[in-house]
Amino acid sequence: MIDTVEGMSVLADDDDNLKSAAANGIELPQGYVPSEDEPFMNPLQLAYFRKKLLDWKDDIHREAKETLAQLQKEPLQEADATDRASSETDWSIELRARDRQRKLINKIDAALRRIDAGEYGYCEVTGEPISLKRLDARPIATMTVEAQERHERNEKITRDE
């Protein structure tokens, strides 16, 4: 069954992690964390980042399902206009957050495609490896810190003109 929250698909039985583990045939050792001492983007590191991305995506889907259930369970019925306005504001904020998460799912899916294509972990601007610390903190990163800073400076200059 598929439900939607503000255009975000929510799978009723989302078992991407199980499918992924079976698909790539790599089982991560418990407590594994990528290290600079091993070859960059080796199969173990790729499996680690795939799992991290899929877990993140699963969390977003779960939160979206909870929001949808709450919207269906608690329609706005406050008699007082002020209470109704407050509730509508709260729901508006919640739905905007879900919309940002829908966009985040697109970025997660793009990162998973880069893993499949063998392009994950490399800067889309310079082609250099993105640091493991950056990828661990932001697994959807597409640029090194330096390239991202240059991009943001250029964006700021363009915006200011």
Side-chain angles (χ1 to χ4, degrees), residues 7-9 13 20 32 41 46-47 51-53 67 78 82 86 117 119 124 142 150 161:
M8 185 183 335
S9 296
D13 289 315
S20 170
Y32 172 79
M41 289 301 123
L46 290 172
K51 181 178 180 339
K52 187 173 187 104
L53 288 161
T67 299
E78 285 87 356
T82 305
S86 177
E119 300 167 358
E124 66 182 13
T142 59
R150 271 193 311 277
E161 292 177 349

Side-chain angles (χ1 to χ4, degrees), residues 85-114:
S86 177
S87 292
E88 287 174 2
T89 300
D90 292 346
W91 278 116
S92 175
I93 291 168
E94 180 73 19
L95 291 174
R96 277 197 308 265
R98 294 294 161 249
D99 188 50
R100 282 192 302 275
Q101 288 182 330
R102 178 187 53 80
K103 293 173 185 172
L104 181 57
I105 284 178
N106 291 335
K107 291 180 179 183
I108 291 170
D109 287 340
L112 291 168
R113 284 191 299 275
R114 287 193 306 277

Side-chain angles (χ1 to χ4, degrees), residues 1-160:
M1 181 175 122
I2 298 179
D3 295 320
T4 59
V5 175
E6 285 295 301
M8 185 183 335
S9 296
V10 181
L11 298 176
D13 289 315
D14 193 2
D15 58 349
D16 284 341
N17 287 336
L18 296 174
K19 292 176 190 171
S20 170
N24 65 22
I26 296 175
E27 192 167 322
L28 289 172
Q30 189 164 352
Y32 172 79
V33 178
S35 163
E36 301 287 338
D37 299 337
E38 55 189 324
F40 188 71
M41 289 301 123
N42 66 63
L44 212 50
Q45 287 182 354
L46 290 172
Y48 171 85
F49 286 112
R50 178 184 302 278
K51 181 178 180 339
K52 187 173 187 104
L53 288 161
L54 289 170
D55 287 348
W56 193 8
K57 186 176 173 179
D58 287 346
D59 288 345
I60 293 169
H61 279 242
R62 183 182 35 75
E63 290 171 12
K65 285 195 298 190
E66 289 169 5
T67 299
L68 180 62
Q70 196 169 1
L71 274 171
Q72 291 171 340
K73 183 177 77 173
E74 301 174 18
L76 293 175
Q77 295 181 351
E78 285 87 356
D80 182 61
T82 305
D83 290 341
R84 188 170 37 255
S86 177
S87 292
E88 287 174 2
T89 300
D90 292 346
W91 278 116
S92 175
I93 291 168
E94 180 73 19
L95 291 174
R96 277 197 308 265
R98 294 294 161 249
D99 188 50
R100 282 192 302 275
Q101 288 182 330
R102 178 187 53 80
K103 293 173 185 172
L104 181 57
I105 284 178
N106 291 335
K107 291 180 179 183
I108 291 170
D109 287 340
L112 291 168
R113 284 191 299 275
R114 287 193 306 277
I115 288 174
D116 293 339
E119 300 167 358
Y120 184 80
Y122 295 93
C123 180
E124 66 182 13
V125 175
T126 65
E128 297 173 7
I130 300 171
S131 77
L132 291 174
K133 287 181 181 178
R134 176 166 171 75
L135 288 171
D136 205 28
R138 185 101 176 129
I140 58 172
T142 59
M143 292 185 246
T144 62
V145 171
E146 297 79 14
Q148 183 71 42
E149 287 172 346
R150 271 193 311 277
H151 173 74
E152 288 173 3
R153 274 194 306 275
N154 291 337
E155 199 173 71
K156 183 181 183 308
I157 291 169
T158 305
R159 220 178 342 180
D160 291 344

